[in-house]
């Protein structure tokens, strides 16, 4: 160790930290202002896509959390997305339940399903676990098709009422936008808290070295199951809101390709950063729309992007942005003489 | 239920079983040689089916030659996958999950390319013996299905001999079991891995050209074939090629029984549940050797 | 206690952990045959033996990573041969690994915070909502991590990702992380491999110090220098205990010499 630590001027430190905070706050404020203004300037179709971005971000966040914090590849999110959507479709149309009751029922069923399936399945790892979730997605899709008394099969269920909030019916993309995005932000906040808590450290410990986590008294299996259930709850929530928003659901929305796009958005966005899946969700919703004129190109592009992202961009776009941000505004100036 | 219907289902299950077995065989070959679970094995079959279809339709080649073209196409895709996907992923220290994601991405790419090129329609393809059938206890089995079963058996036997008797087969196994040791005795380990993928691609190709005349070619067929093949390989004990065929037969018969006694809609549900159950309850497969010596 | 001169290790009341007639075989290969071993409360107990003697297997059975075929492990007078690693950890039995298992994508500080896991009890819901209980616990864990980092001289690297540390420091971190929640029995698997002479000295000092504070240490090692700080050393050879006692006595035992030199 150096005999006399060289002190950086305190004033410089302060300005740096203040500047960093100032820039951060300004960016956040500007972001909120832009967010609030977007529906006023964009076309109805584009706002619709932004609503979908939020829906996918919520469901995809569950997948990203499993992948990034627990190292679990889940291709089963379409199942929980479907359970949520059909719970809302059935309860709201057949029994005339209010949207929030149906949403809760969907989440209860999804959570219970995730618990019952996850308990045995999450004992698997690596290839086996990923393929098991893919098998679950296949099973889910077939059951959604076969149980037509519940799901309407290929014909689907129509006439699902829109969400009504204190007398205000969310019947336009603009209105739904102002509802779904704050909800997404709330979920982001919750997960951010979780990640930076005792449970969050336990998760990341488990991801990096499961045997060592066990030794520290972290019940790895129980923790995995809990996060799987949490992920399912998010999928179900997004599915229910999706059903209310589009007011029609059919089995096409809950196939394996949907599970793949949830996983893709997690991988592309970067599963390890909390903000990553947002980029991923924007990518997954906006790109097919941009390419719609060219025909069915986007599945090929998605597949290619998935491959390239896994090989070359393990941190995803979120990781890229985080790195860039840190490079521009390092958290603390490197203390002189600290390099050993 | 009549006996004829029952036998008919059994025959269909048997035929499907050999198809699943062949896909499982390819997964098993690749796993044995590289320790990679290849999630695009079914798409090797899809590519081979499409290639054979093009060779027959456009070039008007004889069936056997068209099939051979399809198998070669499968091997070439296997080569490309190892070179373009597996190698870069492993060079960057990719985990099991990354390898699986990469091959899954490859599978979706093949399927999406087929969609772009072929559209959403299915294509039928001629098989051996045209549409002629043989009678077995009043039930019918297509001549092509008999060929399928015969060729599958030949492939299994040939592979067994290849691994047991040929220096190349031995080198592939050595390169997989102990890469460093193999390298020191002069085995080109990367080449063995590439060859393994080509072999896996060719086996997938055999499955593809043989199954296509029976089920028609469709852009989405790859993933389900992969899952069924994986079920076959898991039931038989992953890395045990002979077991994959037995696993495939078991799966085919279970599906046939599911169709007879439950409903045809649920056959995939039953197959996938079987996969999950076997993985949880018997990770070494029904035929797998159990008990591993700890280090 | 019948004889006044009986060594402490054989009196049951002072045993923190006892291995009783444990056997284990893998595929017909008998790795352990009716092994007995006692770890006295407050002691540093060593286990040595030539390669392939079954040390790792015995260690894994003690720490709960393997179950014995026959026999049992008694901890605090209770049989624990079949209870999980997590439950053993909560009961104060903690181990390290031959190749250090640090949480590579976490900083040294975060590794230590994760090490405090079992000291807290906040649930996932409380953590998500950021309830005061959860925050208070986390703050306590962070304070403890800072103290431990200082104690194990890890402060200079506290914000370095653990995966980027050299092996020596990873070992030290693993030790610190194992010790942070005040375990009763700390089991160390080859803690000195990959360390240089100075680092081994530092390790020996740390172990002695932890032991003086009341932590019982169980040490599996090739390292004869490190064994110097053990009160009792057990020698395992071909799945059987061939000697047990103070290190100097064990070293002089002809069977031990034969096992090491004659093998």
């Amino acid at each position: 160790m150096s005999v006399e630590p060289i002190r950086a001027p305190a004033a410089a430190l302060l300005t740096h930290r203040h500047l960093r905070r100032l820039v951060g706050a300004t960016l956040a404020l500007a972001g909120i202002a832009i967010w609030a203004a977007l529906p006023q300037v964009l076309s109805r179709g584009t706002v619709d896509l932004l609503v979908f971005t939020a829906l996918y971000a919520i469901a995809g966040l569950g997948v990203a959390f499993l992948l990034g914090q627990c190292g679990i590849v889940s291709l089963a999110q379409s199942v929980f997305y479907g359970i949520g959507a059909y719970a809302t479709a059935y309860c709201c149309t057949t029994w005339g339940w209010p949207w929030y009751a149906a949403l809760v029922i969907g989440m209860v069923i999804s959570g219970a399903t995730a618990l019952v399936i996850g308990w045995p399945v999450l004992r698997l790892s690596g290839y086996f676990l990923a393929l098991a979730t893919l098998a679950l997605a296949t099973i889910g899709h077939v059951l959604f098709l076969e149980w037509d008394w519940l799901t309407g099969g290929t014909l689907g269920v129509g006439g699902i009422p829109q969400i009504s909030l204190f007398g205000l019916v969310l019947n336009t993309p603009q209105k739904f936008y102002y509802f779904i995005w704050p909800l997404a932000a709330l979920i982001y906040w919750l997960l951010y808290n979780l990640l930076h808590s005792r449970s969050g450290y336990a998760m990341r410990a488990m991801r990096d070295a499961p045997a060592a986590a066990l030794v520290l008294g972290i019940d790895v299996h129980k923790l995995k199951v809990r996060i799987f259930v949490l992920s399912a709850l998010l999928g179900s929530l997004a599915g229910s809101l999706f059903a209310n928003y589009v007011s029609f659901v059919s089995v096409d929305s809950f196939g394996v390709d949907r599970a793949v796009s949830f996983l893709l958005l997690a991988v592309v966005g970067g599963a390890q950063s909390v903000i990553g899946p947002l980029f991923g969700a924007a990518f997954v919703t906006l790109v097919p729309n941009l390419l719609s004129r060219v025909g069915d190109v986007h599945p090929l592009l998605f597949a290619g992007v998935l491959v390239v992202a896994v090989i070359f961009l393990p941190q995803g776009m979120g990781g890229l942005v985080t790195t860039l941000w840190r490079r521009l505004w390092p958290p603390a100036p490197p203390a002189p003489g600290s390099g050993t | 239920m009549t006996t004829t219907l029952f036998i008919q289902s059994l025959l269909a299950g048997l035929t499907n079983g050999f198809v699943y077995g062949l896909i499982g065989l390819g997964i098993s070959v690749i796993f044995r040689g590289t320790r990679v679970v290849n999630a695009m094995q079914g798409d090797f079959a899809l590519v081979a089916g499409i290639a054979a279809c093009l060779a027959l339709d456009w070039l008007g080649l004889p069936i056997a030659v068209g099939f051979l073209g399809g198998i070669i196409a499968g091997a070439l895709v296997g080569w490309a996958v190892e070179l373009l996907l597996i190698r870069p992923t492993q060079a960057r220290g990719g985990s099991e999950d990354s390898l699986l994601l990469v091959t899954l991405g490859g599978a979706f790419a093949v399927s999406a390319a087929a969609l772009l090129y072929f559209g959403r329609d299915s294509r039928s393809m001629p098989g051996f013996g045209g549409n002629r059938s043989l009678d077995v206890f009043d039930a019918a089995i297509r001549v092509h299905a008999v060929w399928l079963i015969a060729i599958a058996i030949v492939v299994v036997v040939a592979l067994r001999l290849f691994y047991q008797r040929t220096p190349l087969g031995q080198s592939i196994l050595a390169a997989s079991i102990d890469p460093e040791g193999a390298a020191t005795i002069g085995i080109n380990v990367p080449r063995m891995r590439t060859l393994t993928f080509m072999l896996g691609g060719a086996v997938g190709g055999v499955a593809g050209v043989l199954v296509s005349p029976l089920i028609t070619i469709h852009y989405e067929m790859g993933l389900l074939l992969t899952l069924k093949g994986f079920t076959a390989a898991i039931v038989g004990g992953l890395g045990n090629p002979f077991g994959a065929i037995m696993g495939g037969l078991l799966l085919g018969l279970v599906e046939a029984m599911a169709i007879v006694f439950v409903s045809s809609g649920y056959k995939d549900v039953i197959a996938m549940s079987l996969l999950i159950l076997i993985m949880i309850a018997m990770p070494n497969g029904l035929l797998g050797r159990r008990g591993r010596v700890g280090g | 206690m019948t004889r006044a001169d009986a060594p402490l290790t054989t009196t049951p009341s002072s045993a923190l952990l006892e291995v009783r007639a444990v056997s284990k075989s893998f595929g017909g290969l008998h790795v352990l045959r009716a092994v007995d071993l006692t770890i006295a409360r407050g002691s540093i107990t060593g286990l040595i033996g030539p390669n392939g003697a079954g040390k790792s297997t015995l260690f894994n059975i003690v720490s709960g990573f393997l179950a014995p075929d026959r026999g049992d492990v008694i901890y605090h007078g209770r049989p624990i041969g079949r209870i999980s690693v997590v439950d053993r950890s909560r009961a104060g039995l903690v181990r390290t690994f031959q190749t250090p298992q640090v949480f590579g994508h976490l900083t040294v500080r975060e590794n230590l915070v994760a090490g405090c896991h079992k000291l807290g009890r906040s649930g996932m819901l409380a953590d998500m909502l950021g309830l005061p209980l959860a925050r208070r616990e986390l703050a306590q864990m962070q304070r403890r991590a800072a103290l431990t980092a200082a104690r194990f001289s890890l402060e200079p690297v506290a914000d370095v990702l653990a995966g980027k540390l050299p092996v020596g420091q990873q070992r030290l971190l693993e030790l610190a992380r194992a010790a942070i929640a005040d375990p009763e029995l700390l089991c160390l698997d080859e803690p000195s491999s990959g360390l240089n002479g100075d680092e081994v000295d530092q390790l020996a000092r740390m172990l002695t110090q932890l032991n003086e504070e009341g932590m019982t240490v169980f040490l599996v090692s090739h390292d004869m220098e490190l064994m110097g700080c053990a009160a009792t050393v057990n020698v395992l050879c071909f799945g059987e205990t061939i000697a047990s006692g103070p290190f100097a006595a064990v070293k002089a035992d002809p069977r031990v010499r034969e096992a090491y030199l004659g093998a």
Side-chain angles (χ1 to χ4, degrees):
Chain A
M1 286 275 65
S2 56
V3 184
E4 174 100 4
I6 307 156
R7 293 211 177 80
L13 269 173
L14 274 179
T15 25
H16 182 91
R17 194 185 303 147
H18 282 169
L19 197 62
R20 190 165 186 269
R21 222 174 255 176
L22 199 68
V23 172
T26 317
L27 280 180
L29 275 178
I32 291 173
I34 292 172
W35 168 79
L38 275 179
Q40 312 303 325
V41 291
L42 292 176
S43 71
R44 191 186 164 94
T46 317
V47 178
D48 177 61
L49 289 178
L50 290 177
V51 168
F52 271 98
T53 303
L55 284 171
Y56 282 14
I58 293 172
L61 203 55
V63 181
F65 222 67
L66 278 173
L67 181 66
Q69 312 310 332
C70 310
I72 295 168
V73 173
S74 173
L75 281 157
Q77 190 71 329
S78 60
V79 176
F80 305 111
Y81 191 68
I83 291 177
Y86 284 123
T88 288
Y90 193 80
C91 295
C92 290
T93 56
T94 312
W95 294 335
W97 283 19
W99 64 274
Y100 46 85
L103 182 143
V104 169
I105 284 295
M107 285 173 78
V108 168
I109 298 173
S110 289
T113 311
L115 185 68
V116 170
I117 293 175
W119 194 265
V121 165
L122 287 166
R123 297 224 182 259
L124 302 171
S125 63
Y127 293 134
F128 300 100
L129 179 55
L131 285 164
T133 61
L134 187 57
L136 285 176
T138 312
I139 293 174
H141 190 219
V142 174
L143 292 185
F144 290 148
L145 189 67
E146 291 291 321
W147 290 350
D148 49 6
W149 54 272
L150 174 72
T151 66
T154 40
L155 297 175
V157 181
I160 304 162
Q162 259 133 353
I163 290 178
S164 142
L165 215 59
F166 308 114
L168 177 72
V169 181
L170 306 178
N171 52 5
T172 65
Q174 278 84 358
K175 286 180 195 159
F176 206 86
Y177 175 94
Y178 288 116
F179 165 72
I180 189 82
W181 276 100
L183 184 67
L186 176 72
I187 289 165
Y188 267 76
W189 177 74
L190 290 175
L191 289 188
Y192 182 88
N193 279 346
L194 183 60
L195 201 53
H196 296 87
S197 73
R198 173 169 168 270
S199 310
Y201 285 112
M203 280 179 228
R204 288 185 284 163
M206 164 179 89
R207 175 197 63 197
D208 284 0
L214 283 176
V215 168
L216 298 175
I218 296 167
D219 193 331
V220 166
H221 182 245
K222 208 186 265 176
L223 192 57
K224 279 185 183 170
V225 174
R226 281 186 182 163
I227 300 161
F228 190 65
V229 170
L230 176 68
S231 167
L233 292 179
L234 292 178
S236 183
L237 173 69
S240 287
L241 295 175
F242 161 79
N244 284 128
Y245 178 63
V246 299
S247 75
F248 167 78
V249 293
S250 87
V251 73
D252 293 339
S253 303
F254 314 108
V256 174
D257 53 335
R258 182 52 38 87
V260 173
S261 50
F262 287 144
L263 183 67
L264 175 70
L265 79 84
V267 172
V268 170
Q272 305 215 353
S273 64
V274 189
I275 202 79
L278 199 59
F279 294 99
F283 177 85
V284 169
T285 44
L286 299 182
V287 166
N289 194 262
L290 293 176
L291 294 177
S292 58
R293 255 167 273 150
V294 204
D296 286 328
V297 187
H298 76 265
L300 187 57
L301 184 78
F302 277 10
V305 166
L306 177 61
V307 168
V308 170
V310 171
I311 299 179
F312 296 105
L313 210 65
Q315 306 287 319
M317 293 196 282
L320 214 61
V321 172
T322 315
T323 317
L324 229 59
W325 167 251
R326 291 223 177 107
R327 196 163 295 167
L328 283 173
W329 304 99
S338 73
T340 41
Chain B
M1 187 194 61
T2 65
T3 326
T4 313
L5 184 63
F6 186 75
I7 293 175
Q8 187 70 59
S9 310
L10 272 186
L11 290 176
L14 196 67
T15 314
N16 285 339
F18 273 101
V19 173
Y20 302 151
L22 276 176
I23 299 285
L25 188 61
I27 290 175
S28 170
V29 161
I30 289 180
F31 184 77
R32 207 178 194 200
T34 62
R35 300 284 130 183
V36 173
V37 168
N38 175 31
M40 58 185 299
Q41 191 63 29
D43 294 84
F44 289 169
L46 175 60
V47 169
I50 289 174
C53 191
L54 292 180
L56 297 179
D57 274 8
W58 287 2
L59 306 175
L61 295 173
I63 288 183
V65 179
F67 280 12
L68 197 64
I71 295 169
I72 292 172
L76 288 178
V77 176
W79 172 72
V81 165
E82 204 278 334
L83 204 68
L84 299 177
L85 301 185
I86 304 296
R87 216 174 266 195
T89 311
Q90 282 179 332
R92 286 161 175 272
S95 60
E96 246 182 39
D97 288 338
S98 325
L99 284 168
L100 189 84
L101 284 179
V102 157
T103 53
L104 262 182
F108 297 129
V110 168
S111 159
L115 169 69
L116 200 60
Y117 195 74
F118 263 175
R120 291 171 190 274
D121 303 328
S122 307
R123 293 247 178 155
S124 58
M125 196 168 102
F128 291 120
N131 284 327
R132 276 183 291 128
S133 299
L134 300 177
D135 273 2
V136 184
F137 300 111
D138 290 337
I141 181 167
R142 271 182 63 178
V143 172
H144 181 83
V146 178
W147 275 96
L148 186 154
I149 292 171
I151 294 174
I153 293 172
V154 169
V155 168
V156 177
V157 173
L159 267 180
R160 207 178 172 84
L161 292 176
F162 172 72
Y163 280 125
Q164 280 177 352
R165 300 285 166 82
T166 66
L168 185 60
Q170 301 268 311
S171 302
I172 285 180
L173 288 186
S176 160
I177 294 164
D178 179 10
E180 281 168 29
T184 54
I185 58 168
I187 294 173
N188 185 339
V189 175
R191 183 185 292 162
M192 292 304 128
R193 297 176 66 89
T194 311
L195 279 176
T196 295
F197 262 88
M198 291 183 72
L199 190 60
V203 174
V206 172
V209 295
L210 289 178
V211 74
S212 295
L214 297 177
I215 62 168
T216 71
I217 302 169
H218 186 246
Y219 77 100
E220 276 182 319
M221 74 187 218
L223 196 60
L224 203 56
L225 272 181
T226 301
L227 280 172
K228 301 276 179 78
F230 188 71
T231 311
I234 279 287
V235 170
L238 202 57
N240 172 7
F242 179 66
I245 290 288
M246 302 312 288
L249 285 177
L250 181 74
L251 178 62
L253 293 177
V254 166
E255 279 192 5
M257 292 304 103
I259 292 172
V260 173
F261 294 108
V262 189
S263 135
S264 68
Y266 288 101
K267 88 177 160 56
D268 291 344
V269 172
I270 287 167
M272 293 301 100
S273 308
L274 183 69
L275 169 63
I276 295 174
L277 285 178
I278 294 276
M279 283 198 290
I280 293 168
M282 292 180 237
N284 294 319
L286 290 176
L287 304 169
R289 271 156 277 178
R290 55 199 63 248
R292 207 181 59 91
V293 177
Chain C
M1 275 181 275
T2 49
R3 292 190 308 164
D5 61 346
L8 274 174
T9 50
T10 56
T11 56
S13 63
S14 76
L16 178 60
L17 183 138
E18 274 181 280
V19 173
R20 282 191 194 155
V22 159
S23 299
K24 180 80 187 171
S25 55
F26 295 104
L29 183 70
H30 294 281
V31 180
L32 296 177
R33 297 161 211 244
V35 170
D36 288 314
L37 183 112
T38 304
I39 301 172
R41 181 172 290 132
S43 72
I44 298 185
T45 302
L47 177 66
I48 59 173
N51 279 329
K55 298 192 299 286
S56 292
T57 305
L58 182 56
F59 190 84
N60 282 330
I61 286 174
V62 167
S63 57
F65 280 74
L66 285 175
D69 292 344
R70 274 190 304 281
D72 213 334
V73 179
I74 313 293
Y75 179 69
H76 271 303
R78 284 190 308 133
I80 58 162
R82 316 259 154 211
I83 77 168
S84 71
V85 176
V86 173
D87 288 339
R88 285 180 209 217
S89 170
R90 287 181 187 149
L93 195 164
V94 166
R95 72 169 283 186
T96 63
F97 294 85
Q98 205 161 3
T99 42
Q101 303 267 312
V102 296
F103 306 130
H105 296 92
L106 266 59
T107 64
V108 169
R109 195 192 303 281
E110 289 170 331
N111 264 268
L112 294 173
V113 173
C116 301
H117 183 81
K118 64 185 172 199
L119 300 176
R121 54 191 70 257
S122 70
M124 238 160 102
L125 198 61
D127 285 347
M128 278 172 96
L129 294 168
L131 294 185
L133 164 81
R135 284 165 192 260
R136 216 166 35 234
E137 273 185 8
L138 186 64
Q140 275 166 9
M141 287 159 74
Q142 278 161 340
R143 268 198 301 280
R144 202 178 174 99
L147 289 175
T148 307
R151 177 163 188 207
F152 285 79
S153 337
L154 286 165
E155 257 177 341
V157 290
D159 291 310
V160 177
L161 288 184
K164 307 240 182 225
L165 291 179
V167 177
Q169 279 183 317
Q170 287 196 3
R171 263 190 205 292
L172 194 60
L173 170 59
E174 208 192 11
L175 179 64
R177 197 184 61 193
I180 194 166
D182 286 333
E184 227 177 334
L185 175 57
L186 180 61
C187 303
L188 305 173
D189 194 0
E190 299 285 357
S192 63
S193 74
L195 301 191
N196 64 30
D198 286 350
E199 286 170 329
V200 176
D201 288 345
Q202 191 194 359
L203 177 69
R205 271 201 311 279
M206 282 318 303
L207 287 187
T208 316
Q209 201 184 335
L210 289 172
N211 182 243
E212 277 164 5
E213 289 166 15
M215 209 177 282
T216 308
V217 178
F218 178 47
L219 190 61
V220 175
S221 184
H222 278 104
D223 195 322
M224 293 303 161
E225 195 185 335
L226 196 60
M227 276 301 153
C229 55
T232 311
V233 175
N234 299 275
V235 186
L236 199 62
C237 186
F238 292 116
E240 292 174 51
T241 323
I242 56 169
S244 176
F247 190 38
V250 161
K251 255 201 295 200
D253 192 308
R255 278 185 303 172
V256 176
R257 288 172 163 273
E258 190 195 352
Y260 269 89
L261 301 172

